[in-house]
């Protein structure tokens, strides 16, 4: 502790209080070149891309007849899958879109339409 105090007495660190990228415009500090709270720029997936990829994952599931898969298909009612198959499809979707779906959300995804909406609205889907 004494060493720290001794060093701090002799060290001068320049402090800059304002971000040089900020400019004073109309009495307010603005930064037109910065985008706040953006996780990954403008590369968010379109709904069409999400739909195509979700349907592709569902069609590639071994127990599914690809000709019966539509955006409105329910995994259990229309495709005859059980809850374990539903979990496997959600895991396949997580891998396809490189995201993690929390368990509480995953159990609610029981149709292609819900999967499409969830993934399309997820900020980290890629």
């Amino acid at each position: 502790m004494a060493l720290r105090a001794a060093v701090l007495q002799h060290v001068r660190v320049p402090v800059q209080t304002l971000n040089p990228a900020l400019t004073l415009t109309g009495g307010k500090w603005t930064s037109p070149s910065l985008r706040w709270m953006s996780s990954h720029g403008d590369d968010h997936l379109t709904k069409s891309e999400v739909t195509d990829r979700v349907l592709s994952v569902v069609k590639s599931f071994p127990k599914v007849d690809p000709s019966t898969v539509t955006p409105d298909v329910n995994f259990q009612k229309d495709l005859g899958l059980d809850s374990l198959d539903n979990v496997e499809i959600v895991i396949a979707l997580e891998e396809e879109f490189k995201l993690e779906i929390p368990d509480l959300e995953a159990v609610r995804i029981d149709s292609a339409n819900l999967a499409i909406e969830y993934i399309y609205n997820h900020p980290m889907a890629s």
Side-chain angles (χ1 to χ4, degrees):
M1 194 67 152
L3 178 62
R4 179 177 180 261
V7 169
L8 289 176
Q9 285 180 350
H10 298 288
V11 174
R12 301 276 181 198
V13 179
V15 176
Q16 186 173 1
T17 58
L18 296 176
N19 184 341
L22 297 176
T23 57
L24 186 60
T25 307
K28 295 182 180 179
W29 289 101
T30 60
S31 177
S33 63
L34 293 178
R35 292 185 53 186
W36 301 98
M37 303 300 285
S38 177
S39 60
H40 51 81
D42 291 332
D43 60 347
H44 191 70
L45 299 170
T46 66
K47 194 156 193 172
S48 175
E49 291 172 324
V50 173
T51 301
D52 292 343
R53 288 172 59 188
V54 167
L55 295 181
S56 174
V57 168
V58 175
K59 287 177 182 179
S60 67
F61 194 72
K63 297 180 182 179
V64 171
D65 175 13
S67 65
T68 61
V69 177
T70 66
D72 299 319
V73 73
N74 184 290
F75 301 146
Q76 294 177 358
K77 293 177 185 173
D78 301 328
L79 300 178
L81 301 177
D82 60 24
S83 59
L84 183 57
D85 296 329
N86 199 43
V87 170
E88 290 180 24
I89 287 178
V90 171
I91 291 170
L93 291 170
E94 288 177 324
E95 292 171 0
E96 172 69 20
F97 291 95
K98 296 176 182 68
L99 54 87
E100 186 174 332
I101 301 172
D103 292 342
L104 293 175
E105 297 293 326
V107 297
R108 295 183 187 141
I109 298 175
D110 63 353
S111 68
N113 207 9
L114 288 174
I116 291 164
E117 286 301 316
Y118 182 86
I119 293 167
Y120 177 69
N121 291 312
H122 196 288
M124 297 305 290
S126 62

